[in-house]
Amino acid sequence: HIAELRKDQYNIVPLKEIINAFKSDRELPERTIAITIDDAYLSIYQEGWPRFKEAGIPITIFISTESINDHNANSMTWDQIRELEKEPLIDIGHHGHTHAHMTDLSLDNALNDLDTADQIFIEELGFIPKIFAYPYGEYSTELIDAIAPRNYSAVFGQYSSAASSSQNIMALPRFAFNESYSNLDRFKLIINSRALPVRDLLPTSQEITVNPPAIGFTVDGKINGLSSLGCFPSHMSEAATVTLLGEKRIEIRFDEPFPVGRSRLNCTMPGPDNRWYWFGLPFFNLGN
């Protein structure tokens, strides 16, 4: 993976540089990529960071504070985190305290979890990180609204999609890689993907109230070939029905309801230079 990233066509930057570009509507070079790692595992300190440092690749580490305070054998210590925080190629991100499924918590308990982490960050690092990632990538509209006053520069979920400034800065996507989903072919496909800029997205919330939902969006920009867009719900073995209205409006329909829990929709289509446009959405069926 690192050997591929070091090729000339990729522009690897700190995550905050992408956030600043999104917020200032500044265009980024082709194949601009940021690397994030969740949960402050000891393997980051021992195995991951030495490789990234040697390659000159910046990373953001999203930290949940409880496992560190509890001296979990698989987690870094605060001394190790302070050592990494001094590295110019490392930024520390906020990942809550208990790494809880926040959609399973009451709003008050979710905010208390963040408050607890805030206090620990101040005690251990002297600051509260300005970039936040929802644990497990799970969030609700209510939670987004509640954390808006906390002045995070950006907030990230964990669902497959190339990120763009057209998306909600409080719920930006990240592609996930782990031991089961990290073969080199998939890695190359994703790091060469293109963002599909959309607006007028419906439904406006990813919490399921009507199941299955009627999904639609309008594609911005001079993007041709929308008739070849395919959209794939994660709970189905076949593609959804995609209808192109006019030149730019996409409507997506399927009959099988989303199951309880977290689901996703991935929409992809071929683009120039054998690079795929990729737009994804998470959906959360919270039951009652």
Side-chain angles (χ1 to χ4, degrees):
H1 293 169
I2 289 176
E4 180 66 23
L5 289 173
R6 294 186 72 180
K7 293 180 179 178
D8 289 342
Q9 66 260 40
Y10 303 111
N11 180 43
I12 316 299
V13 300
L15 183 59
K16 59 191 176 187
E17 184 171 325
I18 294 176
I19 294 168
N20 291 338
F22 284 179
K23 298 179 84 167
S24 63
D25 203 27
R26 175 171 54 85
E27 188 172 347
L28 289 162
E30 292 283 330
R31 298 180 177 88
T32 294
I33 297 165
I35 305 297
T36 70
I37 308 175
D38 288 359
D39 303 340
Y41 286 115
L42 182 60
S43 60
I44 300 170
Y45 180 85
Q46 294 178 331
E47 302 290 346
W49 169 238
R51 289 168 167 81
F52 285 119
K53 183 175 183 178
E54 182 181 10
I57 293 176
I59 61 173
T60 297
I61 305 173
F62 287 107
I63 290 176
S64 295
T65 54
E66 184 178 60
S67 64
I68 303 164
N69 274 21
D70 288 349
H71 306 289
N72 187 302
N74 292 321
S75 296
M76 288 189 280
T77 66
W78 282 114
D79 283 342
Q80 289 168 334
I81 292 170
R82 281 188 284 269
E83 179 185 337
L84 294 186
E85 194 273 327
K86 295 176 183 178
E87 294 279 355
L89 292 177
I90 290 183
D91 287 313
I92 301 298
H94 198 310
H95 207 36
H97 178 57
T98 61
H99 203 279
H101 293 269
M102 289 197 163
T103 52
D104 290 344
L105 303 179
S106 69
L107 182 60
D108 284 344
N109 285 342
L111 296 178
N112 286 339
D113 184 273
L114 299 182
D115 289 340
T116 299
D118 286 353
Q119 186 59 42
I120 294 170
F121 279 125
I122 290 172
E123 291 172 358
E124 298 291 350
L125 300 182
F127 65 92
I128 299 171
K130 288 297 186 182
I131 307 174
F132 175 62
Y134 301 107
Y136 306 102
E138 297 173 0
Y139 58 88
S140 65
T141 302
E142 182 183 46
L143 182 59
I144 287 177
D145 292 341
I147 67 174
R150 292 175 180 254
N151 295 317
Y152 295 123
S153 61
V155 183
F156 288 82
Q158 185 178 301
Y159 59 97
S160 295
S161 183
S164 79
S165 59
S166 68
Q167 293 161 312
N168 187 349
I169 198 73
M170 299 296 288
L172 290 169
R174 296 183 296 159
F175 286 103
F177 298 96
N178 60 24
E179 61 273 17
S180 300
Y181 300 99
S182 59
N183 69 70
L184 191 57
D185 287 342
R186 179 177 183 267
F187 186 71
K188 289 180 179 179
L189 176 69
I190 285 171
I191 63 176
N192 284 280
S193 64
R194 294 174 175 268
L196 188 70
V198 307
R199 57 179 170 83
D200 301 329
L201 174 65
L202 293 174
T204 56
S205 170
Q206 273 70 69
E207 298 162 71
I208 300 296
T209 55
V210 176
N211 198 9
I215 304 166
F217 51 82
T218 299
V219 178
D220 268 337
K222 297 178 180 179
I223 296 177
N224 299 315
L226 288 174
S227 60
S228 64
L229 184 73
C231 293
F232 304 89
S234 60
H235 66 302
M236 292 173 53
S237 59
E238 59 186 20
T241 299
V242 177
T243 303
L244 178 61
L245 303 179
E247 295 183 353
K248 298 293 184 180
R249 184 69 186 176
I250 300 293
E251 299 290 336
I252 303 162
R253 301 291 184 267
F254 48 93
D255 295 329
E256 187 175 334
F258 281 121
V260 172
R262 177 178 56 184
S263 299
R264 63 190 182 278
L265 177 78
N266 285 331
C267 294
T268 58
M269 59 176 274
D273 304 322
N274 295 316
R275 297 171 60 199
W276 286 74
Y277 288 105
W278 195 318
F279 175 70
L281 286 171
F283 286 95
F284 307 105
N285 182 0
L286 305 181
N288 59 6

